[in-house]
Amino acid sequence: MTNINECNTYFGPDSLKKYFDPDSQPPLPLVELPPHLNPYYEDGVRIYAKMMTMHPANNVKAMPAMNMLETSVVPGETERIIEYSSGSTVISMSMVARVMHGVNDTRAFLSNKTSDAKLKLMQFFGLDITLFGGPSQPEPIDERGGIQSARRQAMESDKIVNPNQYENSNNWQSHIRWTGPQIFKQLPEINVLCAGMGTSGTMTGLGTYFKGVKPSVHRLGVCTAPGDRVPGPRSYALMRPVEFPWKEAVDTIEEVGSLESYTLSLNLCREGLVCGPSSGFNLQGLFQTLEKRKAEGTLSELSGPDGKTHCVFLCCDLPYQYIGEYFQKLGDEQFHPIRNERLTKVDLHRYDESWERDALEVLPQFYGSPRTLAQCQLSEIVLKTQNRVLDLRKPLDFYAWHLPGSMNLPLSSVGPHTPSPFSDPGVLEAQWVELEKIFTDDVLVSDLGRHHILVVCYDGDSARVATSVLRAKGVEADSVRGGHRALKMYGIGNESPVAAKEPLGATISVAPVPLE
């Protein structure tokens, strides 16, 4: 293993190729779990996470993708990559194909039972997706499944490459080439190696490598418990048709369920080791072996000359595409409740600071008048024909004083002493529901839509909510920042005998809208 870039810096026209090439990178991190994450610390066990997630492709399948495409892509001839993959392998292939080989067309064959989040992730990375029915993890030799379909398509054209991770020995040999040497260089004291088994490539490669360089290393493979599922690994029953020499690469097998896998992954993530469920799966397999050994009194047989047992497990991918599954598997007790969750169903439209007008802008911009009443008579203030003013205050307050030409739309949820909707979720919910109900009136919205609307309330916040709703309906609307109180502060909204002589304006009658 070459290690020529300790500064982890990549220059030149081929910088991305160097960035993806393990021979141009420092080793991926190996991180010891602190004692509070290691229940066997007092037994002399040291546990280390090999962070395969820190490769540019963010998953353990980057190494096989590099190795398989290096030997299968024909420069100037290969135009398309096809692979049956549940996610990480084909996503890595798509990036490696572009970066290392200039091939932009990577197609993913996968199960129709794949989660929507994972499908969107593949689309995000530019993959062309074809779904197949049947088992989510078909046997590699099943002619009815997507694995063999990908193989047949590649056989029909020299321009198509199907690396076929299930049969390609360059899959598992990538870990002899890169992952194994990295771990051994970082931790020559290693006593136990633990990896999950899907295609079995990771375990086959690592197990074969350590059998050669340090035969004393105990090689632990982890399979899913019967009838259970963790993304990536397979059950022991589904391992039987896999053609890789995995049986010679493992010493023991553990079977692990999804609940423990997701729980441990969540714990690792919260402690700063961000990794997906298959990483928790691997750690649980290691815990089970250590617990059995401790119960049998044979744990010390795994230790090295220093009297410690140094164990490495692989962190294989990231958790983000599985977020929904964490909540499904683990239940609400693992997560803090969302405060004010009621707001997820209301106040759904965008806001924009440019829709809030300063009180001093109102007269010159909507009336074409000086900035304050001190500079003119109220009778001189005339609303521009293209503008309308919508006042949300109570009728008595509206009649006492309002901007000339205003229309009163009194809201039952708005009053002179009502808290700001942005400080009281109940007020926001009530106002938004009421406004949404009012503005389902197509005639009203159509009429308002022919004008530029200025919305006024007591303190500006309710008008801001109304502006958001109106804008969502296609109405050009603004609000007065600070509302009537700000207008009054600048001498615009002062109640006076002069103001009392002004026309009262129009009133729009609306029925109260109860919350459901």
Side-chain angles (χ1 to χ4, degrees):
M1 178 186 69
T2 306
N3 192 2
I4 59 175
N5 188 12
E6 293 182 358
C7 291
N8 208 11
T9 308
Y10 308 89
F11 298 104
D14 60 347
S15 57
L16 279 178
K17 289 185 178 181
K18 295 175 182 175
Y19 177 51
F20 267 73
D21 183 0
D23 288 331
S24 299
Q25 304 168 342
L28 298 178
L30 188 71
V31 184
E32 182 178 0
L33 300 190
H36 69 277
L37 291 176
N38 175 5
Y40 302 96
Y41 188 85
E42 296 300 327
D43 299 302
V45 176
R46 301 293 180 264
I47 300 176
Y48 308 83
K50 178 62 174 174
M51 302 302 294
M52 304 302 293
T53 55
M54 299 301 287
H55 185 275
N58 296 139
N59 64 74
V60 70
K61 300 296 186 179
M63 305 301 193
M66 291 281 298
N67 213 39
M68 287 188 284
L69 291 181
E70 182 181 294
T71 54
S72 58
V73 171
V74 180
E77 182 174 317
T78 300
E79 297 179 355
R80 181 183 304 165
I81 310 295
I82 298 178
E83 183 71 7
Y84 189 94
S85 165
S86 62
S88 294
T89 298
V90 76
I91 289 173
S92 292
M93 281 183 180
S94 70
M95 287 188 274
V96 171
R98 281 192 181 93
V99 171
M100 306 299 291
H101 306 287
V103 177
N104 295 318
D105 184 2
T106 300
R107 305 197 175 187
F109 287 8
L110 67 160
S111 168
N112 63 336
K113 298 164 186 60
T114 304
S115 70
D116 182 65
K118 189 174 287 187
L119 291 174
K120 283 185 168 56
L121 183 67
M122 292 187 180
Q123 289 179 301
F124 176 85
F125 281 104
L127 286 155
D128 183 316
I129 299 171
T130 301
L131 300 180
F132 288 81
S136 59
Q137 293 179 317
E139 292 188 5
I141 60 174
D142 189 343
E143 292 293 329
R144 300 166 296 180
I147 296 173
Q148 291 303 316
S149 178
R151 181 180 184 179
R152 286 193 295 271
Q153 285 198 26
M155 293 176 66
E156 294 170 0
S157 172
D158 292 337
K159 298 182 182 298
I160 300 175
V161 166
N162 169 224
N164 192 353
Q165 60 175 318
Y166 302 93
E167 300 177 6
N168 191 333
S169 60
N170 285 304
N171 177 344
W172 59 270
Q173 288 176 2
S174 67
H175 298 292
I176 294 178
R177 181 179 179 184
W178 289 307
T179 313
Q182 283 191 15
I183 294 172
F184 192 47
K185 180 179 181 180
Q186 292 169 309
L187 189 71
E189 306 93 327
I190 182 173
N191 306 116
V192 179
L193 174 74
C194 176
M197 301 179 69
T199 64
S200 80
T202 305
M203 191 67 239
T204 300
L206 290 174
T208 302
Y209 173 79
F210 278 102
K211 184 177 182 179
V213 299
K214 190 175 182 180
S216 63
V217 171
H218 185 82
R219 303 163 302 167
L220 171 62
V222 190
C223 293
T224 54
D228 207 343
R229 184 178 179 274
V230 175
R234 291 171 171 249
S235 68
Y236 185 76
L238 288 175
M239 290 300 304
R240 289 170 185 166
V242 175
E243 296 183 359
F244 294 161
W246 59 270
K247 293 182 180 179
E248 292 77 31
V250 296
D251 297 306
T252 57
I253 297 285
E254 288 288 350
E255 294 180 325
V256 169
S258 59
L259 179 61
E260 297 85 356
S261 302
Y262 280 84
T263 299
L264 282 179
S265 167
L266 183 70
N267 293 342
L268 291 173
C269 288
R270 289 176 174 176
E271 293 291 336
L273 290 174
V274 182
C275 57
S278 60
S279 307
F281 172 84
N282 292 340
L283 181 56
Q284 177 62 25
L286 176 60
F287 282 173
Q288 289 177 193
T289 286
L290 294 174
E291 185 61 31
K292 290 176 182 177
R293 288 275 189 160
K294 183 176 179 180
E296 296 168 355
T298 60
L299 183 55
S300 60
E301 294 178 6
L302 297 175
S303 63
D306 62 356
K308 306 293 185 184
T309 303
H310 299 277
C311 308
V312 174
F313 74 100
L314 267 64
C315 286
C316 302
D317 64 359
L318 296 172
Y320 306 114
Q321 61 186 305
Y322 310 110
I323 292 298
E325 295 177 31
Y326 282 89
F327 283 83
Q328 294 170 9
K329 293 282 184 183
L330 304 183
D332 294 341
E333 61 273 11
Q334 288 281 2
F335 307 95
H336 289 296
I338 298 174
R339 303 180 193 279
N340 300 333
E341 190 171 9
R342 62 202 295 184
L343 295 186
T344 60
K345 298 179 180 179
V346 300
D347 193 34
L348 304 179
H349 310 309
R350 67 178 289 251
Y351 289 82
D352 193 310
E353 289 185 0
S354 66
W355 302 341
E356 288 189 273
R357 299 300 185 92
D358 187 88
L360 287 176
E361 297 177 352
V362 171
L363 293 184
Q365 293 191 10
F366 283 81
Y367 292 87
S369 302
R371 293 163 68 89
T372 69
L373 288 177
Q375 298 169 289
C376 67
Q377 296 293 320
L378 191 61
S379 58
E380 300 172 3
I381 299 176
V382 179
L383 187 66
K384 293 179 181 179
T385 56
Q386 72 270 26
N387 299 332
R388 289 290 182 269
V389 178
L390 206 57
D391 195 318
L392 307 181
R393 294 177 298 151
K394 298 297 184 185
L396 287 178
D397 297 314
F398 176 76
Y399 295 151
W401 192 93
H402 57 262
L403 287 168
S406 299
M407 296 185 296
N408 187 209
L409 179 63
L411 299 185
S412 62
S413 56
V414 173
H417 305 295
T418 303
S420 166
F422 304 115
S423 64
D424 188 326
V427 172
L428 178 57
E429 181 181 23
Q431 289 185 5
W432 193 84
V433 169
E434 185 174 9
L435 288 162
E436 281 286 320
K437 185 75 172 180
I438 291 170
F439 294 129
T440 57
D441 186 332
D442 293 337
V443 175
L444 174 61
V445 171
S446 177
D447 178 65
L448 295 175
R450 291 194 290 268
H451 305 90
H452 187 177
I453 306 300
L454 180 69
V455 188
V456 181
C457 67
Y458 292 98
D459 61 3
D461 288 348
S462 299
R464 190 181 182 214
V465 177
T467 297
S468 172
V469 174
L470 284 168
R471 288 276 181 168
K473 306 285 184 184
V475 178
E476 185 182 8
D478 296 322
S479 63
V480 179
R481 186 183 293 107
H484 180 261
R485 293 168 188 165
L487 292 171
K488 188 174 182 180
M489 181 185 303
Y490 291 116
I492 301 171
N494 286 326
E495 299 173 7
S496 67
V498 176
K501 296 178 183 178
E502 294 300 313
L504 294 179
T507 300
I508 302 174
S509 298
V510 294
V513 180
L515 285 177
E516 296 181 358

